[in-house]
Amino acid sequence: MSFKKICKIPTKEEIIDLLPLDNKLKTIKQKNDKEIKNILASKSNKMLIIIGPCSADSEKSVCEYLEMLYKINEQVKDKLFIVPRIYTSKPRTTGDGYKGMIHQPNINNEPNMKEGILAIRKLDIKIISEYGFPIADEMLYTSTYPFIEDLLSYVAIGARSVENQHHRLIASGIDCAVGMKNPMSGDISVMLNAISTAQKSHNFIYDNYEVDTTGNPFSHSILRGGIDLEGNHFPNYHYESLLNIINLYNKTELINKSIIIDTNHSNSGKLFYKQPTIVKDVLNSISKNKELKNIVKGFMIESYIKEGNDPTGKTYGKSITDPCISIETTKELLFNIAESLD
């Protein structure tokens, strides 16, 4: 019952000095930020696709996946705006298992968070430089987020963090889109309260400073299903569920009422291969209802080179954490989404 100090972590300024984002890449990043904001503000008809492995595990395999995704993107970019999931820190329900690159930049070595911070910053910069992709990551730790905040175009607040006050307050000052997941219980009111908090201005302590924020009008919802008291998964992507969300939204004074559908987690009942079916179901729903079409802005999909998962990390290109669909299935799915938008 004590803390053992391992090493002092460099400051945000020291890390950024080591691995800066140059002006050319800043311009690319700002353009990506604007594109996402335009989709959420209904100024663009493109559909937002936040897609990639459940957890980024190595620079080599992530970049190989992105090479494949880039080729797909070239064929669908007129209708879809693809934002790769580069999730570098992972919550673990029991505390066991792989916690992401920020903990272990090399899966075969012991945790080293200083090296992890440098590794994920290096990876993110490489992705912007070589592919021009925007980057999505989950803000799991409020203490490590400042090290990569200048690199992200989309920030997700997870089901376990969405009730946390500090996450909500930080979201109010983030200068890019922030998606709030409904909590594990599926309680939509918790998610709506989080969005409401993030869309308002606040005063609090962040990154060792007292700060004022302006509020984030691009804070929005991510529906991921829930778990009942008996531990059973239940979805919230069906037509009736979406209509219920709209009714709840309409009772609020929220600035932005966008919805992203998470196709895995409790929506799929942890059955990753159901993700294409869930997408098809949602696309059918929005085709029948203009209001839904205007409010459902896209999907969050878990995908990697190979389908399934391998918790040992020994299978190259296969998720260490939650199972994912393969790149082949991903290609077919993205083509189908693009075709549905004709």
Side-chain angles (χ1 to χ4, degrees):
M1 295 175 62
S2 63
F3 292 95
K4 176 185 176 183
K5 293 181 179 178
I6 299 170
C7 74
K8 187 171 180 61
I9 301 297
T11 65
K12 175 181 73 174
E13 290 76 18
E14 290 170 334
I15 292 291
I16 291 175
D17 282 345
L18 285 172
L19 293 168
L21 187 69
D22 66 35
N23 289 332
K24 179 182 176 181
L25 299 186
K26 285 179 183 177
T27 300
I28 295 172
K29 193 258 184 194
Q30 290 165 0
K31 183 179 179 181
N32 286 331
D33 291 359
K34 185 176 181 180
E35 184 76 41
I36 294 171
K37 291 174 181 178
N38 284 342
I39 293 171
L40 295 173
S42 299
K43 295 179 181 179
S44 168
N45 292 323
K46 290 183 181 181
M47 183 161 276
L48 190 60
I49 308 293
I50 303 151
I51 188 166
C54 176
S55 54
D57 52 11
S58 77
E59 180 178 309
K60 183 180 179 182
S61 57
V62 167
C63 287
E64 183 174 330
Y65 170 80
L66 293 180
E67 288 278 356
M68 301 173 185
L69 191 64
Y70 183 85
K71 292 175 183 177
I72 300 169
N73 182 57
E74 287 298 293
Q75 300 177 72
V76 298
K77 63 184 180 182
D78 290 341
K79 296 179 180 179
L80 309 181
F81 192 70
I82 292 178
V83 182
R85 285 172 51 107
I86 311 298
Y87 277 31
T88 55
S89 53
K90 295 298 298 180
R92 309 305 297 172
T93 301
T94 64
D96 297 325
Y98 179 64
K99 297 181 177 68
M101 281 185 71
I102 197 165
H103 284 270
Q104 280 180 279
N106 185 323
I107 187 65
N108 297 312
N109 295 341
E110 292 297 311
N112 186 324
M113 294 198 72
K114 177 182 175 181
E115 291 302 316
I117 290 167
L118 291 169
I120 64 175
R121 188 168 177 88
K122 179 184 173 187
L123 173 59
D124 285 350
I125 291 172
K126 181 176 181 178
I127 291 167
I128 299 171
S129 175
E130 296 190 6
Y131 308 103
F133 272 134
I135 295 169
D137 200 349
E138 178 179 351
M139 183 172 68
L140 179 60
Y141 307 122
T142 59
S143 58
T144 57
Y145 172 71
F147 295 113
I148 54 171
E149 64 182 344
D150 62 319
L151 307 177
L152 304 182
S153 292
Y154 188 95
V155 175
I157 308 296
R160 298 168 180 83
S161 303
V162 73
E163 297 186 63
N164 182 274
Q165 181 73 349
H166 206 215
H167 282 79
R168 294 178 176 192
L169 296 181
I170 292 172
S172 74
I174 290 175
D175 189 26
C176 69
V178 177
M180 300 282 193
K181 287 197 175 186
N182 63 257
M184 304 285 282
S185 67
D187 187 340
I188 298 303
S189 68
V190 170
M191 177 186 71
L192 296 180
N193 288 337
I195 296 169
S196 177
T197 302
Q199 290 186 3
K200 297 171 183 172
S201 59
H202 299 280
N203 174 271
F204 59 102
I205 295 174
Y206 174 65
D207 195 22
N208 295 320
Y209 287 90
E210 179 181 1
V211 297
D212 286 326
T213 60
T214 57
N216 188 339
F218 300 99
S219 175
H220 59 279
S221 67
I222 304 174
L223 301 182
R224 50 89 69 207
I227 302 174
D228 65 22
L229 294 177
E230 283 73 44
N232 302 306
H233 296 280
F234 62 88
N236 57 10
Y237 67 86
H238 292 304
Y239 187 76
E240 295 77 11
S241 295
L242 295 177
L243 291 182
N244 179 55
I245 301 295
I246 288 179
N247 289 333
L248 293 172
Y249 257 146
N250 290 338
K251 295 176 182 178
T252 73
E253 297 180 359
L254 295 175
I255 301 167
N256 192 297
K257 299 178 180 180
S258 300
I259 295 172
I260 300 294
I261 307 296
D262 179 346
T263 60
N264 213 3
H265 300 100
S266 289
N267 269 333
S268 69
K270 292 286 188 176
L271 301 175
F272 72 97
Y273 52 83
K274 287 188 174 183
Q275 291 185 93
T277 302
I278 291 168
V279 169
K280 183 178 180 181
D281 188 289
V282 174
L283 291 173
N284 182 56
S285 294
I286 65 178
S287 71
K288 297 187 297 185
N289 186 303
K290 185 176 180 181
E291 193 173 11
L292 279 183
K293 186 175 182 180
N294 290 336
I295 206 169
V296 176
K297 301 297 187 181
F299 298 96
M300 181 172 281
I301 300 165
E302 293 194 319
S303 153
Y304 209 6
I305 299 171
K306 298 177 182 178
E307 75 168 19
N309 69 330
D310 178 5
T312 69
K314 294 180 180 179
T315 306
Y316 181 82
K318 184 176 283 193
S319 175
I320 297 177
T321 46
D322 287 351
C324 302
I325 58 173
S326 68
I327 192 66
E328 292 82 11
T329 302
T330 298
K331 180 177 181 179
E332 182 180 0
L333 176 57
L334 294 178
F335 283 175
N336 287 342
I337 296 172
E339 288 172 7
S340 77
L341 302 178
D342 288 334

